């Protein structure tokens, strides 16, 4: 029932969110529009703009201009996806051809830059330096997280603490900022702004950890190739647990192949099967639950309105999601 209520609210908010994205795309320079529209049309969960809307409404803000603000972080996210697909030489994105395969590499990179710049301009139009600061920090933190992830690629000595630092930058901070911007636009007191920021950061941490667990689920369930993190050289929690379970000789063989980028799709499938059998994916979800408990706790000081209940339900959705 709880998830159904969240889905119903998302269905209600999606049309104005997508309309705001389309308005933003139309306002871009003509050369950039096709690339931006392509990445927007590929879809996505739209959790970031939904959270901006929910936190603004929770804090008593009823103005419809919240939708144009809400999509700015989605635009930032889209820009990172355009750049990531070039860096990874990805062929597809959400089941569609990756933008750089249609529009070539250089125009795609520059379109991502233009998308980010336009989002920044849209935030500035609200005339609130706090919103600009929030957006700027989200941009910086996201880029830093991506840099840290690249530095850790194919390394077997990446610690749990280093992993959390990567995730906080590349995933959690954007969700944190989405919540923070909604509260800032509503003119909420500092204590409430910090509470929704803490909620968003912890939901973001859990979201990525569940994503890392889902990486080892069968492709038939998720629609994504199984064990992509093995082949990409990302030592996520399930993979770290698996590595630690190996004998000395097995670990040496794993480390060599992982560091050299020699893991095949068959290797990834086999490792994924062992991870599921040992329950390392389930243990990762349990670790994610610790962050979700912190997220729920952060909501306790917020007004008891329907949006707060929906944000609690979103924590359950993150915990239970299957794809």
């Amino acid at each position: 029932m709880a998830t159904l209520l969240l889905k119903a609210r998302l269905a209600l908010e999606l049309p104005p969110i997508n309309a705001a994205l389309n308005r933003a795309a139309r306002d871009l320079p003509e050369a950039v529009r096709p690339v931006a529209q392509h990445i927007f049309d590929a879809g996505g969960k739209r959790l970031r703009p939904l959270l901006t809307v929910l936190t603004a409404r929770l804090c008593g803000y009823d103005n419809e201009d919240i939708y144009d603000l809400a999509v700015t972080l989605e635009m930032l996210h889209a820009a990172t996806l355009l750049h990531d697909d070039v860096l990874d030489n990805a062929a597809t994105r959400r089941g569609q051809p990756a933008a750089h395969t249609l529009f070539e590499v250089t125009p795609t990179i520059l379109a991502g830059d233009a998308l980010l710049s336009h989002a920044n301009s849209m935030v500035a139009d609200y005339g609130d330096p706090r919103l600009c600061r929030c957006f700027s920090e989200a941009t910086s933190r996201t880029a830093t997280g991506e840099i840290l992830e690249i530095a850790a690629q194919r390394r077997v000595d990446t610690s749990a603490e280093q992993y959390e630092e990567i995730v906080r930058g590349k995933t959690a901070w954007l969700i944190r900022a989405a919540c923070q911007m909604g509260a800032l636009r509503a003119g909420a007191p500092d204590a409430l702004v910090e509470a929704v920021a803490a909620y968003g950061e912890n939901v973001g941490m859990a979201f990525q950890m569940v994503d890392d667990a889902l990486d080892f689920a069968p492709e038939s369930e998720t629609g994504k190739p199984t064990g992509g993190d093995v082949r990409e050289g990302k030592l996520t929690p399930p993979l770290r647990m698996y590595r630690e379970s190996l004998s000395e000789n097995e670990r040496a063989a794993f480390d060599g192949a992982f560091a050299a980028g020699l893991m095949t799709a068959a290797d990834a499938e086999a490792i994924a099967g062992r991870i599921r059998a040992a329950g390392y994916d389930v243990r990762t979800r349990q670790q994610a639950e610790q962050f979700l408990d912190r997220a729920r706790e952060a909501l306790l000081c917020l007004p008891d309105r329907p949006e707060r209940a929906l944000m609690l339900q979103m924590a359950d959705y993150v915990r239970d999601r299957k794809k």
Side-chain angles (χ1 to χ4, degrees), residues 6 9 13 53-60 62 199 299 303-313:
L6 182 61
R9 183 62 179 264
E13 301 291 1
V53 174
L54 289 180
T55 52
R57 302 303 188 221
L58 176 61
C59 295
D62 295 326
Y199 165 85
L299 290 179
D304 186 9
R305 292 178 177 162
E307 288 80 11
R308 188 177 79 166
L310 288 168
M311 290 166 74
L312 285 168
Q313 291 163 20

Side-chain angles (χ1 to χ4, degrees), residues 84 87 144-155 166:
D84 286 351
L87 290 171
T144 300
E146 296 283 355
I147 291 168
L148 291 174
E149 184 174 55
I150 292 170
Q153 197 169 18
R154 309 203 186 287
R155 294 186 64 97
I166 291 168

